[in-house]
Amino acid sequence: MSHPVVAVATGTLLLDAGPAWAAGVNAASAEPPAVALFLRIVVLLATPVAVGLALAAPHTTRRVRPALTFTAVAAALCGVLGTEVDPAPVTPVALLAGATLVLPLLLGRPRTLRVAAVATWLLLAVRVGATAGADQPVIEAVRVAGLSAAISAAALVAVIGSLRRTGATALVAALLAAATATALAGYAAGVRPDRWAPLTWFGRLTVLAVVVVVAALVVAVLVLAHPDAPVRPAGVAGAMAALALVVAAVLPLLPPPPPPAVAGVPLLRTVNVGTERLPVLVSPNRPGWNLVQIGSAKASAGTGRTRLTAGTTRPGSTGSWVNVRLPAGASRLWIGKGTATGWLPVDTGHDRVDDARLTGPDGPECASASLGSALTGPARPVSSCPADGLSAEDAEALRAMVGFVAGRGVSAISVVGDDSPRGVRAVAEVRAAAAARGLPVADSGRHPLFVVAGWTGAEAVLRQVAGGGRLAEGSYLAPWLLTGPLLEIPAAPLLALRFDPRQADAARYLRDLDRLFPGAPATAVGYHRYLGDGGRRGELRLYAASALYVPGQGGHQHGAARSAWVPNGSVVPVTGSLPA
């Protein structure tokens, strides 16, 4: 066997060994995804080599037979084995494997062998395109067809030492199509030609693939200029195409880049900080002061690696909260935990709005509303916060709770609010409903306690009740106080709600919240924004919240790994429908 043929076969095997190394898998502990990747790349590289050798066979059958047999058997065998590791439809796999195995059997029948080689090349492209998903099967098929054609051309030239001008022209056309398809595939996956493209491994490898294919195209033009002496440039172009195919095989295993940030819209992202992936929410994502929520305790944030502000805990929520002043336009937001740091790109636009609502005591509740809408797509711009006013639905819930308490024959009630527009109106609503039923509102004594403050004021009052510092005959909470860190305070909390936290939509909200921001508490405001206009339908019922404490676990589960209405507890109905 001649040196060029040995070089092609050896190069194929070396490239096949690359993915297992790149995936960090050794021979003793290969995981199924790495094995599937390895087998897939063998098929992607060995098949076009076999096609190229088959096209060269009429010129020198004896020299080609061993290498063609080896590569054809390797491609077919790995294709079949791949279905055992990563199940796939049997028919297309069998067709491609059969077509590849036929090639060595057709040596001595040049015309039939050429037709079979071209058919095998097309089957490979169609096979890969069909498994690329519904979004871009044609793009993926074109990319594989172009790159595999370059590898086949390199194998052909390695054997016969020349390439006709028509063949060189076809090589240039194939790589031009492959370069276009590679760029389109990256664009469809969310990689954009800006300075943020190399932020993720997906983006880096996509950019690498485009650069490599374009470089292969330039080399192919040299082949076209000198078709009678193309051995070295054709080999280089083939090696570059092989590298691009390896990258294309690795990309589906990596998470695609997040969608581009929209200026002025709260930003939900995940940041790599050391060995951890931390969810981060930036609100309102505008120039000036922003509230940054980080899904981990004792984290920090700032505009520079050495300019980080330690996060604090906030009532009614979990994780770390930091107020950060962001500049206009594109910049970096740095996140830290311990000695590790990471960063994410932000684009605040140029509409400067210094909104004290987000950086004030009601900021976490406002951010939770933005997080709820971000779970189903891009969040909506922050034009208002829940504490800006009392909704008609919440006012009705407060009146219903007052009616329920009045029906139990109590002598008086107490009410605690705050100075937010919603808190002021809520206190007035409770007092008016009590007056309509001849029920006094007392500032002291043991009475049913109506808590209509925001999260900050509510936590202080509930802890007073739980600690015995304030007498209360049950705590009746406003609907917006449905959040785990408040409900797990042992103050006998009750709420009037128009939805059952155990229903299917609520469970779906919990799953999406846990997937995109693990550990964040489920909240009423977040759930309503998650469902949109359909979030408050249903009959009003009174619900009780309770947390189950296991000895040795400690008190509060603020670091719970999963999102829940009440960590290690439940919210269950205790009445039928309440009259409004």
Side-chain angles (χ1 to χ4, degrees), residues 97-468:
T100 308
L101 285 175
V102 163
L103 297 179
L105 303 178
L106 294 177
L107 290 172
R109 302 174 63 181
R111 186 171 298 178
T112 306
L113 181 57
R114 290 193 188 98
V115 173
V118 173
T120 302
W121 169 68
L122 291 174
L123 279 173
L124 176 65
V126 173
R127 167 78 178 90
V128 174
T131 58
D135 293 338
Q136 47 185 354
V138 175
I139 292 177
E140 194 62 28
V142 170
R143 169 161 61 174
V144 171
L147 295 175
S148 59
I151 298 174
S152 297
L156 173 64
V157 172
V159 174
I160 66 176
S162 64
L163 191 65
R164 294 179 180 178
R165 183 167 293 276
T166 54
T169 303
L171 174 61
V172 172
L175 283 172
L176 180 60
T180 303
T182 300
L184 289 176
Y187 190 86
V191 179
R192 298 294 183 266
D194 55 30
R195 63 174 177 151
W196 307 121
L199 282 181
T200 64
W201 277 110
F202 190 99
R204 292 167 187 163
L205 290 181
T206 298
V207 172
L208 173 64
V210 173
V211 171
V212 168
V213 178
V214 171
L217 177 61
V218 173
V219 174
V221 173
L222 298 178
V223 176
L224 181 60
H226 303 284
D228 296 328
V231 176
R232 179 170 297 177
V236 172
M240 290 180 173
L243 176 59
L245 271 180
V246 171
V247 172
V250 172
L251 283 177
L253 301 180
L254 301 175
V262 180
V265 173
L267 181 67
L268 175 61
R269 290 291 184 267
T270 299
V271 183
N272 291 320
V273 180
T275 58
E276 296 187 66
R277 289 175 57 81
L278 303 182
V280 176
L281 178 70
V282 183
S283 302
N285 192 32
R286 291 181 177 177
W289 285 108
N290 284 258
L291 181 60
V292 179
Q293 180 185 6
I294 309 168
S296 178
K298 299 181 180 180
S300 56
T303 55
R305 187 195 298 268
T306 59
R307 299 190 302 276
L308 299 178
T309 300
T312 59
T313 58
R314 301 289 292 272
S317 191
T318 59
S320 302
W321 297 83
V322 189
N323 291 330
V324 179
R325 183 183 286 275
L326 293 176
S331 64
R332 295 185 182 189
L333 174 65
W334 287 85
I335 305 296
K337 184 176 181 182
T339 59
T341 58
W343 61 275
L344 71 153
V346 294
D347 187 352
T348 58
H350 298 279
D351 183 13
R352 183 175 296 275
V353 178
D354 284 324
D355 195 339
R357 293 176 300 181
L358 275 161
T359 56
D362 295 314
E365 183 187 359
C366 193
S368 181
S370 297
L371 177 59
S373 64
L375 298 179
T376 57
R380 288 175 284 182
V382 179
S383 57
S384 63
C385 287
D388 290 346
L390 181 67
S391 69
E393 294 86 352
D394 288 343
E396 188 177 31
L398 295 177
R399 292 194 298 269
M401 285 198 299
V402 172
F404 171 79
V405 169
R408 295 175 57 201
V410 299
S411 60
I413 64 171
S414 299
V415 61
V416 175
D418 59 19
D419 58 0
S420 69
R422 180 184 60 190
V424 172
R425 283 196 55 194
V427 169
E429 192 71 36
V430 170
R431 288 183 175 275
R437 291 168 174 79
L439 193 62
V441 178
D443 293 331
S444 60
R446 187 180 181 88
H447 308 292
L449 176 62
F450 282 70
V451 183
V452 296
W455 292 2
T456 300
E459 182 183 76
V461 171
L462 292 175
R463 293 202 181 281
Q464 288 178 356
V465 173

Side-chain angles (χ1 to χ4, degrees), residues 27-104:
S29 61
E31 297 293 332
V35 174
L37 175 63
F38 177 77
L39 295 175
R40 176 182 173 85
I41 293 178
V42 172
V43 175
L44 286 174
L45 297 181
T47 302
V49 170
V51 169
L53 294 175
L55 293 175
H59 299 273
T60 172
T61 301
R62 180 175 298 178
R63 293 170 56 197
V64 164
R65 185 184 299 274
L68 176 57
T69 303
F70 173 75
T71 53
V73 170
L77 181 61
C78 289
V80 173
L81 290 176
T83 62
E84 297 294 327
V85 179
D86 186 14
V90 175
T91 301
V93 173
L95 284 175
L96 179 59
T100 308
L101 285 175
V102 163
L103 297 179

Side-chain angles (χ1 to χ4, degrees), residues 368-377 380 498-512 523-538 565:
S368 181
S370 297
L371 177 59
S373 64
L375 298 179
T376 57
R380 288 175 284 182
R498 284 194 175 277
F499 71 95
D500 189 336
R502 304 167 301 171
Q503 68 190 22
D505 285 342
R508 178 164 52 88
Y509 163 66
L510 289 178
R511 288 194 300 270
D512 288 343
T523 67
V525 293
Y527 177 62
H528 295 324
R529 291 288 181 90
Y530 175 80
L531 289 184
D533 295 335
R536 300 193 178 191
R537 290 178 294 192
W565 294 108

